Amino acid sequence: MYCYQCEETAGNKGCTKGGVCGKKAEVAELQDLLIFVLKGISHRTTQSGSNEVIDDFIVESLFSTITNANFDDEYFTARVWEALRLRDSIPYEGKGPEAADWTPEDDDAIIEKAKEVGVMATENEDVRSLRELLTYGLKGMAAYYSHAKALGYVDEEITTFIREGLDSTLQDLTVDRMVEWNLRCGSMGVKTMALLDDANTSTYGHPEVTSVDIGVRNRPGILISGHDLKDLEMLLQQTKDKGVDVYTHGEMLPCNAYPAFKGYDHLVGNYGGSWWHQKEEFESFNGPVLLTTNCLVPPKDTYSDRIFMTGAVGFPGLKRIEADDNGHKDFSPLIDMALGSQPPQALEDGKITIGLARNVLAANAEKLLEMVSAGKIRRFMVMAGCEGRFKDRQYYTDFAKALPDDVIILTAGCAKYRYNKLPLGDIEGIPRVVDAGQCNDCYSLAATALALADALKVGVNDLPISYNIAWYEQKAVLVLLALLSLGVKDITLGPRLPAFVSPAVLDVLVKEFNIRKNTDVEQDMAILLPE
Ligand code: SF4
Ligand code: SF3
């Protein structure tokens, strides 16, 4: 195996003997093979067109390969066979790239091939770098698209782009063309995030400023983690009046701010922190846990029987809730288990303020601009992105603490857990941590920045906004490409730069966009907070 798609990759080079995330070599290789066949499918559709079944299959397959989503070798073996069947159902003439017509005889042939088609199969490191950058961006796009589709929001332009993008990685393109594909991926990423934003806000209302309880109550609970709002909706409907409370975990925290979910009294708050704390937090929660998407940490035996997976999530031996043909999921096994469970053990108490997404920010735009002109707000610091388990992420807590009182943090994604419980206060009622939601809601921040630039008639880089972004998995890759496609420059990225970005590709990113790696708080503060 060779996997370097996430920020925690071994030695900041690549995981070769199993993943730091817990992904086994066999699973990593099967994921590579699945991507290989998806490229073959995509190539064939450039001749014969696609359909909803093919597009859905590609989207869900890409989603299942993002970091910490699916660790199940049987899932991926079955998925590869299904991919081959679908591919071969697409009429195709001529001799194309191997991915378009390679055919195995049995599972052994699949396992053999899976070892050959990984990222290192592309020898030139710059070509490899640009192909993988695009592939990871497309994985992020697939994740966002899948959530939008779950709510009935679709756009053929996006699925066509995903297929064409995958096919482009089979072609011998110039570096310029590959860079162009990546920037186009960013633009389509903006479109995909806008679609998801529309899906979420049209279905559940615009998030409202909300104070969320982080303590516990005395009834048994169900904990829901991941990013899927539709799953939460179904869970809340089915648990109503059942004597069970529902708590959000990790990236589900922002759901507490949607009007449609606030209507459920038994959605009682958020339990715990970001994804990598789950070994302790799932243990002490005592009740069943529903994992709707990434990030799953391979569970400990002491609580694995309480974990239920759904959607793209997979792990051998865990219980799974499948949707029926109408998309309905029956969560009664969780409810039954919860009724026999102890209430959650308290981890902390207090409240955190969330729900400052684009609608709230738009309503306060005039006030914010006035506060900027009056010098009450010196600058906005975008600290959105992902959380991670390595100690050096303490940097983000230290950076947030060191920011002067007249700087507002704009955040989205689980990166916020490094500072969202600090007593950072507010500036005339505007919380100093403006939490726009999940990583899926980064669109809120981009849309707000564009609206402010428009109102002030300045370029997006002339706004009093600096970017100190933390990344981990492939949705963050798409968000980064999206920001670049919007022309945002001077982004500070950390804690490490992606291992899949080769020195020459980094050079392009530095020259064109002035991307830089974070260093230490003092030095970065001087750069990001100009006098
Ligand atoms: Fe390693 Fe990250 Fe790949 Fe897991 S997802 S195998 S940690 S690079
Ligand atoms: Fe987090 Fe996994 Fe990326 Fe959604 S839950 S931001 S890492």
Side-chain angles (χ1 to χ4, degrees):
M1 73 173 278
Y2 197 97
C3 183
Y4 61 178
Q5 67 175 356
C6 84
E7 188 271 337
E8 294 188 354
T9 194
N12 204 27
K13 286 199 165 63
C15 296
T16 56
K17 297 189 176 73
V20 172
C21 60
K23 184 163 72 176
K24 297 214 162 39
E26 190 183 359
V27 173
E29 287 161 1
L30 286 167
Q31 289 183 351
D32 289 342
L33 183 61
L34 179 58
I35 300 284
F36 174 79
V37 184
L38 295 182
K39 291 177 180 178
I41 294 176
S42 301
H43 182 75
R44 285 195 178 208
T45 62
T46 58
Q47 267 190 18
S48 308
S50 189
N51 59 45
E52 199 180 343
V53 173
I54 294 172
D55 287 348
D56 285 355
F57 182 86
I58 292 176
V59 163
E60 289 312 306
S61 297
L62 285 171
F63 193 1
S64 68
T65 67
I66 71 171
T67 301
N68 290 342
N70 197 313
F71 299 81
D72 188 351
D73 55 339
E74 280 181 20
Y75 172 94
F76 285 108
T77 305
R79 201 88 188 162
V80 168
W81 280 115
E82 180 60 11
L84 289 163
R85 196 193 61 72
L86 261 184
R87 184 198 67 184
D88 294 344
S89 71
I90 304 167
Y92 179 66
E93 279 179 17
K95 180 113 187 76
E98 193 192 10
D101 44 31
W102 166 77
T103 304
E105 281 179 0
D106 51 23
D107 280 358
D108 288 345
I110 286 204
I111 289 167
E112 273 316 298
K113 190 70 181 171
K115 294 182 198 304
E116 283 173 26
V117 295
V119 295
M120 288 301 166
T122 304
E123 282 171 21
N124 180 299
E125 76 166 342
D126 301 325
V127 175
R128 180 165 69 228
S129 178
L130 287 163
R131 283 182 180 168
E132 292 309 311
L133 179 58
L134 178 59
T135 305
Y136 304 150
L138 293 173
K139 289 185 182 196
M141 190 180 296
Y144 290 142
Y145 188 78
S146 168
H147 287 296
K149 168 110 207 236
L151 297 176
Y153 286 69
V154 294
D155 183 343
E156 232 176 85
E157 201 186 342
I158 296 169
T159 47
T160 303
F161 182 85
I162 291 175
R163 281 184 283 105
E164 291 178 353
L166 286 172
D167 179 51
S168 82
T169 66
L170 296 172
Q171 298 166 27
D172 220 354
L173 300 179
T174 61
V175 165
D176 284 352
R177 285 290 309 282
M178 286 188 283
V179 169
E180 192 188 310
W181 264 106
N182 277 292
L183 290 179
R184 284 182 58 207
C185 182
S187 305
M188 197 56 73
V190 176
K191 197 163 187 188
T192 313
M193 288 193 277
L195 180 75
L196 178 56
D197 181 278
D198 187 21
N200 287 342
T201 55
S202 302
T203 311
Y204 303 115
H206 280 278
E208 298 166 348
V209 181
T210 304
S211 188
V212 181
D213 202 331
I214 55 174
V216 296
R217 304 215 178 160
N218 56 8
R219 299 198 303 180
I222 295 175
L223 189 61
I224 179 166
S225 195
H227 301 75
D228 199 287
L229 276 56
K230 179 82 185 163
D231 286 334
L232 175 65
E233 181 186 17
M234 287 188 273
L235 181 66
L236 288 171
Q237 284 165 349
Q238 292 173 39
T239 44
K240 191 168 166 15
D241 301 326
K242 291 275 165 57
V244 167
D245 290 328
V246 174
Y247 295 79
T248 56
H249 178 265
E251 279 282 70
M252 295 302 279
L253 161 67
C255 297
N256 291 282
Y258 284 90
F261 299 139
K262 289 169 82 167
Y264 293 95
D265 291 344
H266 64 296
L267 175 64
V268 297
N270 192 70
Y271 187 81
S274 66
W275 62 270
W276 64 273
H277 298 279
Q278 58 191 253
K279 282 194 175 156
E280 296 77 40
E281 292 170 358
F282 289 2
E283 184 88 63
S284 59
F285 185 73
N286 293 329
V289 180
L290 178 63
L291 243 302
T292 66
T293 65
N294 60 306
C295 279
L296 170 68
V297 175
K300 294 203 302 197
D301 292 346
T302 45
Y303 63 82
S304 59
D305 61 328
R306 290 193 275 114
I307 308 277
F308 293 76
M309 320 172 287
T310 192
V313 184
F315 194 88
L318 297 188
K319 299 179 186 73
R320 166 172 282 286
I321 305 285
E322 295 289 4
D324 66 17
D325 290 345
N326 302 316
H328 178 80
K329 296 182 183 178
D330 176 5
F331 292 120
S332 50
L334 283 98
I335 300 169
D336 293 344
M337 184 182 280
L339 288 170
S341 306
Q342 291 298 312
Q345 197 180 312
L347 296 172
E348 55 197 338
D349 57 18
K351 289 185 185 292
I352 42 180
T353 302
I354 64 164
L356 287 102
R358 68 179 169 86
N359 207 40
V360 170
L361 295 175
N364 284 284
E366 216 169 293
K367 177 177 176 185
L368 289 170
L369 290 174
E370 274 169 23
M371 289 168 77
V372 171
S373 341
K376 292 175 184 162
I377 295 176
R378 187 197 315 188
R379 207 163 180 84
F380 298 93
M381 188 68 61
V382 177
M383 291 180 70
C386 303
E387 237 281 66
R389 71 190 111 202
F390 289 174
K391 281 209 170 63
D392 53 7
R393 296 239 177 196
Q394 173 67 27
Y395 161 90
Y396 293 102
T397 309
D398 296 341
F399 189 87
K401 278 185 186 164
L403 280 170
D405 290 349
D406 54 3
V407 175
I408 298 259
I409 295 172
L410 300 177
T411 196
C414 62
K416 66 170 76 79
Y417 282 103
R418 286 280 169 178
Y419 45 79
N420 68 343
K421 294 170 187 171
L422 298 174
L424 295 179
D426 64 276
I427 307 176
E428 294 188 4
I430 308 284
R432 286 203 46 236
V433 178
V434 164
D435 182 358
Q438 300 179 334
C439 57
N440 295 15
D441 302 311
C442 284
Y443 174 75
S444 248
L445 297 178
T448 302
L450 293 177
L452 288 179
D454 198 41
L456 294 170
K457 306 217 175 326
V458 297
V460 73
N461 293 302
D462 302 319
L463 293 166
I465 300 180
S466 298
Y467 296 81
N468 191 1
I469 290 179
W471 83 285
Y472 171 57
E473 37 77 20
Q474 297 74 52
K475 285 190 271 179
V477 174
L478 184 70
V479 172
L480 183 68
L481 291 174
L483 288 174
L484 300 185
S485 79
L486 293 173
V488 175
K489 297 199 169 161
D490 304 328
I491 293 174
T492 293
L493 186 66
R496 274 159 293 274
L497 292 181
F500 55 81
V501 171
S502 69
V505 171
L506 181 60
D507 206 42
V508 173
L509 294 177
V510 172
K511 281 202 184 103
E512 297 283 322
F513 300 102
N514 201 25
I515 281 193
R516 61 181 284 274
K517 187 195 142 351
N518 69 334
T519 54
D520 60 56
V521 171
E522 205 180 328
Q523 207 176 318
D524 291 345
M525 198 65 78
I527 292 169
L528 293 167
L529 215 52
E531 283 306 319

